[in-house]
């Protein structure tokens, strides 16, 4: 069974204080790893897809990286508007698994001014 | 380009009633997914549909829950004889034939009294 574990569960940062979120996964053949951002009372908002070890993607203050066992989401010089829950999810290569995403529990990030 | 639309956004039902949740995928998307987020828990896959076909329903409870995606109109997630444990946020996502990225709607928050 696929497993996705995110750490830490919660992260409090001062504005400008860079940090990293971890997503470790166990999956039989990774087709893709996805990062989403979720604000309270809203649906997950797509951020990145990573497909192979060594791949990196960037968007504003966010940078996602992927290894064979984990992914990191780096937040550089965060601002209060970066406060949200960040979700990691995996998609398997096996066709019989369909297209279902398996999500981690998320990391709640609070950036204080 | 409208995103994934869900309605209603909030739904209150008494135990034993039926709940119908609707999802209109993004324009050009033919794949629909339903996920459930229980209080203090992560997102869990329920069902994956394409037009007029259920592809994978491995995450959906065997009783009381059903889903459809007719040729015309939105996808419907139906919960019969709701119980308090059904209270959760239900999210719909959609993807295109060519890309695997799933885009989420704002969710329907179901409260069972």
């Amino acid at each position: 069974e696929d497993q996705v574990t995110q750490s830490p569960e919660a992260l409090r940062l001062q504005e400008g204080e860079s940090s990293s979120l971890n997503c470790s996964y166990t999956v039989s053949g990774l087709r893709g790893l996805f990062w989403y951002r979720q604000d309270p009372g809203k649906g997950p908002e797509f951020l990145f897809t990573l497909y192979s070890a060594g791949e990196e993607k960037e968007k504003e203050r966010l940078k996602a990286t992927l290894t064979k066992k984990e992914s990191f989401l780096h937040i550089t010089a965060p601002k209060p508007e970066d406060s949200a829950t960040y979700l990691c999810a995996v998609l398997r290569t096996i066709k019989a698994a369909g297209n279902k995403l398996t999500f981690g529990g998320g990391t709640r990030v609070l950036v204080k001014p | 380009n409208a995103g994934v639309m869900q309605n209603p956004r909030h739904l209150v039902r008494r135990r034993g009633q039926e709940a119908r949740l609707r999802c209109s995928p993004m324009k050009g998307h033919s794949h629909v997914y339903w996920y459930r987020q229980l209080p203090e828990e992560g997102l869990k896959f329920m069902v994956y549909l394409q037009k007029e076909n259920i592809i994978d329903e491995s995450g959906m409870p065997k009783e009381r829950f059903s889903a459809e995606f007719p040729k015309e109109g939105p996808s419907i997630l139906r919960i019969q004889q709701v119980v308090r444990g059904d209270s959760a946020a239900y999210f719909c996502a959609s993807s295109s034939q060519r890309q695997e990225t799933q885009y989420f709607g704002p969710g329907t928050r179901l409260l069972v009294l």
Side-chain angles (χ1 to χ4, degrees), chain A residues 8-17 19 21 37-40 75 78-86 107-113:
Chain A
E9 288 187 11
L11 192 58
R12 293 168 68 115
L13 300 170
Q14 285 298 129
E15 184 171 1
E17 179 189 358
S19 188
L21 285 54
R37 168 195 170 124
Q38 186 174 25
D39 292 296
I75 311 179
K79 297 183 177 182
E81 52 262 43
D82 295 322
S83 298
T85 296
Y86 291 86
T107 295
R108 292 189 309 279
V109 174
L110 176 63
V111 182
K112 292 197 155 190

Side-chain angles (χ1 to χ4, degrees), chain B residues 3-96:
Chain B
V4 178
M5 296 171 65
Q6 291 187 249
N7 66 80
R9 295 292 306 277
H10 299 273
L11 184 61
V12 180
R13 286 287 178 264
R14 296 193 180 279
R15 280 179 299 169
Q17 290 185 319
E18 178 179 290
R20 282 192 178 222
L21 288 61
R22 293 174 188 78
C23 168
S24 295
M26 282 179 72
K27 188 177 179 182
H29 285 190
S30 57
H31 299 217
V32 166
Y33 314 82
W34 286 92
Y35 292 83
R36 178 165 67 174
Q37 191 170 41
L38 291 165
E40 305 304 320
E41 290 191 22
L43 277 159
K44 300 280 191 233
F45 168 81
M46 297 181 74
V47 62
Y48 161 38
L49 310 103
Q50 295 179 20
K51 283 286 187 183
E52 300 185 281
N53 285 305
I54 297 175
I55 308 301
D56 179 0
E57 56 182 347
S58 59
M60 200 151 69
K62 295 284 185 280
E63 297 181 358
R64 303 187 298 109
F65 285 73
S66 63
E68 62 177 13
F69 188 16
K71 191 176 179 181
E72 301 290 338
S75 174
I76 307 284
L77 179 67
R78 183 181 176 205
I79 312 172
Q80 295 178 291
Q81 299 177 333
V82 296
V83 301
R84 290 212 174 114
D86 297 332
S87 295
Y90 291 82
F91 291 98
C92 169
S94 72
S95 68
S96 68

Side-chain angles (χ1 to χ4, degrees), chain A residues 67-94:
Chain A
T67 71
K68 287 186 179 178
K69 291 188 177 181
E70 57 191 350
S71 177
F72 293 94
L73 185 66
H74 308 278
I75 311 179
T76 302
K79 297 183 177 182
E81 52 262 43
D82 295 322
S83 298
T85 296
Y86 291 86
L87 302 170
C88 166
V90 297
L91 189 66
R92 299 171 86 191
T93 54
I94 302 171

Side-chain angles (χ1 to χ4, degrees), chain A residues 4-76:
Chain A
V4 182
T5 304
Q6 291 188 246
S7 61
E9 288 187 11
L11 192 58
R12 293 168 68 115
L13 300 170
Q14 285 298 129
E15 184 171 1
E17 179 189 358
S18 301
S19 188
S20 293
L21 285 54
N22 178 265
C23 170
S24 62
Y25 61 90
T26 304
V27 62
S28 299
L30 179 72
R31 189 174 354 155
L33 185 141
F34 300 79
W35 282 98
Y36 289 86
R37 168 195 170 124
Q38 186 174 25
D39 292 296
K42 296 192 175 181
E45 176 189 342
F46 170 72
L47 294 174
F48 304 110
T49 308
L50 301 165
Y51 291 104
S52 56
E55 190 174 358
E56 297 182 352
K57 293 265 179 81
E58 277 189 77
K59 180 180 179 180
E60 295 181 357
R61 295 176 293 283
L62 300 176
K63 178 180 175 181
T65 61
L66 181 65
T67 71
K68 287 186 179 178
K69 291 188 177 181
E70 57 191 350
S71 177
F72 293 94
L73 185 66
H74 308 278
I75 311 179
T76 302

